Amino acid sequence: MKSKKKSSKSKKNTAKLIINSNTYQLPIHKATEGSDVINVTKLFSESGYFTYDPGFTSTAACESKVTYIDGEKGILRYRGIDVSELAEKSDFIEVSNLLIYGDLPNQIQLKKYRKLIVNHTMLNEQLIKFFNGFRRDAHPMAMMVGVMGALSAFYQDSLDINDPHQRMTAARRIIAKAATIGAMSYKYSIGQPFVYPDNKLSYAENFLNMCFSVPSENYKIPKIISKAMDIIFILHADHEQNASTSTVRLAGSSGANPFACIAAGVASLWGPAHGGANQAALEMLETIGNKSNIDQYIKKAKDKKDTFKLMGFGHRVYKNYDPRAKILKNICKEEGLNNQIVKATSQKKDQQLTNSGIGLIPSSSLTLNETVIGGTTWVFSREELTNTFDVLVIDEAGQMSLANLLVMAGCAKSILLVGDQQQLSQPTKADHPGDAGKSSLEYLMQGANVVPEDKGIFLNTSWRMEPSITNIVSELFYDKRLMGNPSNENNSINWGKPFLRGSGNQFPNQGIVFEAIEHSGCSVKSIEEIDFIEKLVESLLGGSYTYSQFNENRTGEITPNDILVIAPYNVQVNRLEQRLEGRAKVGTVDRFQGQEAPIAILSLTASSGDNAPRGIDFLLEPNRLNVAISRAQCLSIIIGCPRLATGLINTVDEAEQVNRLCRLMTKN
């Protein structure tokens, strides 16, 4: 395109752009606050050139009086008012009024506006039934996108964006119903009944009540939590033209109704580089584990060849600090929330806990200042701790006796059992009548393989194992309800040296496999299996592995720490340790519960059920077998004599156990 040459004489409030000796005058718009902007609207029509700013880091896409951000100085203002002042003196409803109308309302205006919001908190009853079409394991944001968009099918009197009255009605409905939809999405995902809005409560209190109360009992909303929630709403009420705001504006430019546009914005907010970054940050912290690993992960983040990324709370626009984080921190200080996490113990030192920022204190020194306390049964059974805690969390509840749980139950208002009924049971048991001898989890589940929907939540995705391992584990132990994470499909190893199976074929790089080793008369040890395992380990060492963790690939060379060798009897364990001499981690199933590694090798040891100490019931006990084979991230190898699947079967349980073994033998 041939462009007309402009005069080289600059005008007032203009910028001069020279391209191939052609000069173009671009108007400069004076900003109310912050940087002035160069208007490039006519640049293409006059020069034939576009501007290039894919991240919109140097582009003002609209005129706005709503929000001002200075990332360098950590400033966030709504309508010219600093957000810290609003957090201190206003509530969310007042702030939303400010953002919509431009000024803080007087008392009469605020009362009227608050009433209008309150009167729109309910959802149409038919719209509530919309949730029944979703899967229970759907992400709450997925449901919110659908239901928010569906509002346009129920409130057709406020769809015309060009009608000021309809536009404001839609705005009030969205503000009011967003909290209800969000709470219902959460309730549906955890399998609890919906709680309807209570218009006597504040906006934040109403949201918390809908999220955490249940119809069967009264829920007292903690003042500090409702205050913090209200401030969180204020701090996120607006944040300049970010991804979700731009999405709403782009959808709105077509004349689409407000509900559809906001649904599009919710979908954008869901993304891990936007609102979903909070979820990504939490997952990252779980990956890092404790303070001692921080330096290692910072190095990984700086390594361009490593896929690991540091996910941060806050926003990238703030270069020094996020003013919103500072406000929340100050609120916590004002309310005396020091977030102190301690372990009640008589131990003097525990380096791992200390590195994680967890203190050690005697149980006699506990005060009300600690927000999270870890300890044994004996700590929480003390009479002076009655009704002290909001929640008592029992980890590995399958190993916590029902008697011990009952002793502790009085210390908390609610009890959360966390565990897997298909993992190892209580390490020691006495002889008790009836249900008294059961673990707390065993008592709750009453023989079910996975927790019933009316009693809890089954986390149905395995984030550790290669999916074919997950499939067989799901089939044998979890009623086919356990699913593998698709990102784990690439979990695999490369052998250090080629190693052939008895069939003459190469061992696979992933999955689960049974290798038959013939022997007879073996009881607590099998030299034949030890010989074979030694050759396996030698061929594995020096190879490499790849596995996915939180959808991030981890790679490395196979070392002794990456190979778990599991045996049922201490004699076999001792002989394996002597033979392998530190070339793998060796132990019984009990040692490795809770651990994982790229490769797990299980030695069944005994030649037959008759040779097996404590019988086939112990050797093939489902929980022990499940733990053993499910330690593997990439490859699980079972070594055993095929005659274990033959012989006399005395009980139904033994028949089921042998059937499981036969199923594993077919994984070749």
Side-chain angles (χ1 to χ4, degrees), residues 496-624:
K497 302 174 191 174
F499 187 69
L500 297 180
R501 303 179 61 190
S503 63
N505 298 322
Q506 174 70 37
F507 268 92
N509 295 333
Q510 62 179 191
I512 185 168
V513 62
F514 183 94
E515 183 67 14
I517 303 294
E518 293 284 353
H519 49 74
S520 62
C522 295
S523 175
V524 294
K525 69 178 187 296
S526 168
I527 300 301
E528 292 87 351
E529 293 188 17
I530 293 172
D531 291 340
F532 191 84
I533 290 171
E534 184 181 22
K535 295 175 183 177
L536 267 179
V537 171
E538 281 298 308
S539 297
L540 287 164
L541 289 172
S544 61
Y545 63 82
T546 298
Y547 66 88
S548 179
Q549 189 174 59
F550 300 111
N551 297 327
E552 295 280 350
N553 285 335
R554 305 283 187 265
T555 60
E557 180 182 333
I558 296 174
T559 68
N561 287 331
D562 302 313
I563 306 172
L564 306 183
V565 179
I566 306 163
Y569 310 114
N570 287 325
V571 174
Q572 183 77 343
V573 168
N574 293 335
R575 295 296 177 91
L576 281 164
E577 285 181 329
Q578 293 169 9
R579 182 72 69 84
L580 296 177
E581 297 181 316
R583 290 172 287 173
K585 296 168 72 174
V586 184
T588 62
V589 175
D590 306 78
R591 176 187 173 185
F592 292 125
Q593 175 159 305
Q595 297 189 36
E596 57 188 85
I599 305 114
I601 302 171
L602 171 63
S603 169
L604 293 175
T605 306
S607 297
S608 68
D610 293 334
N611 295 127
R614 301 168 64 181
I616 205 80
D617 272 342
F618 173 79
L619 183 62
L620 300 180
E621 199 267 327
N623 293 43
R624 302 182 68 82

Side-chain angles (χ1 to χ4, degrees), residues 117-383:
I117 297 295
V118 167
N119 288 341
H120 284 105
T121 54
M122 293 286 291
L123 295 183
N124 187 291
E125 201 63 25
Q126 286 182 268
L127 182 59
I128 294 175
K129 295 178 181 177
F130 203 83
F131 283 94
N132 292 329
F134 298 126
R135 287 170 56 114
R136 286 285 181 183
D137 60 351
H139 197 290
M141 287 293 281
M143 296 184 243
M144 193 157 184
V145 170
V147 178
M148 182 64 74
L151 290 175
S152 58
F154 288 84
Y155 303 103
Q156 300 181 46
D157 60 340
S158 53
L159 302 183
D160 187 357
I161 198 69
N162 297 309
D163 183 331
H165 176 72
Q166 292 194 41
R167 188 166 63 240
M168 295 310 299
T169 301
R172 290 192 292 267
R173 280 174 169 160
I174 290 168
I175 293 170
K177 298 180 192 301
T180 308
I181 296 171
M184 287 185 171
S185 299
Y186 170 68
K187 281 291 194 184
Y188 189 83
S189 72
I190 62 174
Q192 289 187 2
F194 296 140
V195 176
Y196 285 76
D198 184 347
N199 292 342
K200 297 190 299 294
L201 303 174
S202 71
Y203 189 91
E205 288 173 336
N206 204 6
F207 176 70
L208 292 169
N209 188 65
M210 289 189 290
C211 282
F212 303 116
S213 68
V214 292
S216 57
E217 59 185 55
N218 292 325
Y219 172 68
K220 186 177 180 181
I221 305 165
K223 291 289 183 184
I224 178 55
I225 302 299
S226 64
K227 182 178 179 181
M229 192 76 254
D230 189 71
I231 290 174
I232 288 171
F233 283 141
I234 291 172
L235 300 181
H236 291 80
D238 200 278
H239 205 252
E240 212 179 41
Q241 190 164 308
N242 53 32
S244 52
T245 309
S246 298
T247 302
V248 174
R249 290 190 69 237
L250 285 171
S253 68
S254 69
N257 70 79
F259 304 110
C261 296
I262 294 297
V266 173
S268 176
L269 186 66
W270 185 7
H274 194 11
N278 290 330
Q279 179 179 336
L282 291 171
E283 292 172 350
M284 176 200 68
L285 292 174
E286 288 183 350
T287 302
I288 294 174
N290 59 63
K291 288 183 178 180
S292 62
N293 297 327
I294 290 176
D295 290 341
Q296 170 193 344
Y297 278 93
I298 289 175
K299 290 179 181 178
K300 287 169 66 70
K302 292 180 178 179
D303 186 354
K304 294 181 179 180
K305 296 180 181 179
D306 198 304
T307 57
F308 177 79
K309 294 180 180 179
L310 286 174
M311 308 300 295
F313 295 97
H315 199 283
R316 67 176 184 175
V317 72
Y318 299 111
K319 307 303 181 185
N320 296 312
Y321 68 92
D322 190 330
R324 300 170 300 172
K326 186 177 180 181
I327 292 166
L328 285 173
K329 184 179 180 181
N330 290 336
I331 292 295
C332 290
K333 284 184 177 180
E334 289 174 12
E335 298 296 330
L337 295 181
N338 58 12
N339 293 319
Q340 188 177 358
I341 303 175
V342 299
K343 177 182 179 181
T345 177
S346 57
Q347 289 178 256
K348 302 297 182 183
K349 292 182 179 180
D350 189 322
Q351 197 61 45
Q352 186 175 357
L353 289 180
T354 303
N355 292 340
S356 303
I358 298 174
L360 306 178
I361 64 173
S363 57
S364 57
S365 301
L366 292 174
T367 69
L368 295 177
N369 293 325
E370 293 84 30
T371 53
V372 180
I373 298 171
T376 64
T377 301
W378 309 111
V379 172
F380 299 109
S381 61
R382 292 166 55 194
E383 187 175 351

